[in-house]
Amino acid sequence: MSARSSDDDLLQPGWRSSRRKVGAVTLHVVEAGKAGAPLVILLHGFPEFWWAWRHQIGPLAAAGFHVVVPDLRGYNLSDVPDGIDDYRLDTLAADVVALADTFGAERFHLVGHDWGAVIGWWVAALHATRLDQVVLMDGPHPDVWGAQMLKHPSQALRSTYAAFFQLPWLPEATLGSFDHAGLRTMLQGSGKADTFEPGALNRYVAAWRNAGSLTGMLNYYRALRRRERPAAPARITPPTLILWAEEDRFLERHIAEASLAQCDDARLEMIADATHWLHLEQPARINARIIAWLSEAPAQKR
């Protein structure tokens, strides 16, 4: 468990913090909006935490949604299981569905970025009947990422960090030394000069300091490497909007296109003048697209 007990200093008026028992773990959750309104779950990526959605929570609640934003297992104030197998995709997807269950929601909307999008793809693959609309940003369908790296050497080069993360202890030592200077540098170098507002990275560092969190975060990558390659990529049936930054330094456009090809009902929109952190850099535009997509009837999307 983590050393800190609260993120209350980050909460804005109307935001609520709680802990939810989800299977074998307890997740820290921030929510906003009226309970009983259409539920939308926001899934953050690596190496963020619930605060990644600080620009989206208020506008989505104001638009009439019940917004639920967990710290994923291994992150910030949520439980940190020890084993690599505790971070397998099936387990991560089950966490999301079980979280919706704690709010009594038979169906819900799902929004994910980076690793949150990877998990979102897998929730859509395994639990399609639980989902209404889906928005996935700069995160690959897990069944296409490896094949795209084999086809595109430039993408393989961009993804060398994922191979480095497979090593024992060395990534923790490299990224965590000097109070996580390596992770801080990675974030700063992958965005624009003003992507992270003054003091934002200090908030991230505070989350990374929690006992076991750095290893938990890296275990997402280690567990993904253990997946067996499927005979064919899983098909995605819920209506899905894919938002992809044109200046993403980690993931090339062909990954988005390959992910789109596995969808029965989806749209890909490229976001100009945005890096991997598009939800932080262009919040007004991203919020408008999320709200419009979640608010439309499925038939209007086709």
Side-chain angles (χ1 to χ4, degrees):
M1 293 293 292
S2 57
R4 290 187 301 118
S5 61
S6 173
D7 272 345
D8 287 351
D9 60 318
L10 298 178
L11 299 179
Q12 296 183 19
W15 298 9
R16 310 177 294 279
S17 177
S18 65
R19 296 182 184 277
R20 296 273 170 166
K21 184 68 174 176
V22 173
V25 299
T26 298
L27 301 183
H28 170 251
V29 174
V30 169
E31 61 179 299
K34 184 179 179 181
L39 180 68
V40 54
I41 297 178
L42 310 182
L43 303 178
H44 66 81
F46 174 91
E48 298 187 278
F49 62 108
W50 71 264
W51 197 57
W53 299 107
R54 55 194 175 274
H55 302 309
Q56 283 72 47
I57 296 172
L60 281 168
F65 296 99
H66 180 194
V67 185
V68 169
V69 194
D71 285 327
L72 299 176
R73 62 165 62 199
Y75 281 84
N76 194 39
L77 300 179
S78 288
D79 283 357
V80 185
D82 293 331
I84 293 175
D85 286 341
D86 292 318
Y87 298 88
R88 287 187 178 272
L89 263 179
D90 287 6
T91 301
L92 301 174
D95 282 351
V96 178
V97 174
L99 180 60
D101 289 341
T102 70
F103 289 96
E106 285 191 23
R107 299 180 66 87
F108 58 97
H109 302 297
L110 189 60
V111 178
H113 170 255
D114 185 79
W115 254 103
V118 177
I119 298 168
W121 285 110
W122 209 237
V123 175
L126 297 186
H127 306 282
T129 59
R130 298 296 301 273
L131 295 178
D132 286 323
Q133 277 72 258
V134 180
V135 180
L136 302 173
M137 300 185 286
D138 289 75
H141 186 308
D143 289 344
V144 307
W145 191 17
Q148 291 301 304
M149 284 192 288
L150 291 175
K151 292 179 183 178
H152 300 269
S154 57
Q155 179 60 57
L157 184 62
R158 292 187 187 215
S159 300
T160 52
Y161 68 91
F164 173 64
F165 290 171
Q166 303 302 316
L167 300 174
W169 70 264
L170 185 59
E172 283 90 335
T174 302
L175 297 176
S177 61
F178 301 102
D179 202 12
H180 301 86
L183 267 181
R184 184 191 289 263
T185 299
M186 186 198 80
L187 287 182
Q188 288 175 317
S190 60
K192 298 179 180 293
D194 59 351
T195 297
F196 300 97
E197 65 268 34
L201 292 180
N202 293 333
R203 296 292 193 177
Y204 287 110
V205 170
W208 301 335
R209 289 185 187 132
N210 290 328
S213 284
L214 184 52
T215 294
M217 288 156 42
L218 292 169
N219 279 344
Y220 279 65
Y221 292 91
R222 293 163 178 159
L224 189 63
R225 183 71 174 269
R226 295 184 177 187
R227 292 185 76 228
E228 293 184 8
R229 182 173 296 180
R235 295 296 301 176
I236 306 300
T237 57
T240 301
L241 174 64
I242 305 170
L243 300 178
W244 208 266
E246 289 188 351
E247 298 177 19
D248 191 320
R249 62 167 287 187
F250 300 114
L251 299 167
E252 296 175 345
R253 176 173 180 152
H254 58 82
I255 294 224
E257 293 169 343
S259 299
L260 176 68
Q262 305 310 317
C263 299
D264 292 347
D265 184 7
R267 180 185 303 166
L268 169 62
E269 296 183 9
M270 300 300 298
I271 306 300
D273 195 31
T275 74
H276 185 73
W277 315 103
L278 68 173
H279 59 309
L280 301 177
E281 295 168 350
Q282 298 188 26
R285 179 178 181 183
I286 298 303
N287 295 348
R289 291 304 301 125
I290 293 173
I291 291 169
W293 186 261
L294 301 188
S295 300
E296 291 176 3
Q300 294 178 280
K301 299 179 182 352
R302 298 184 175 91

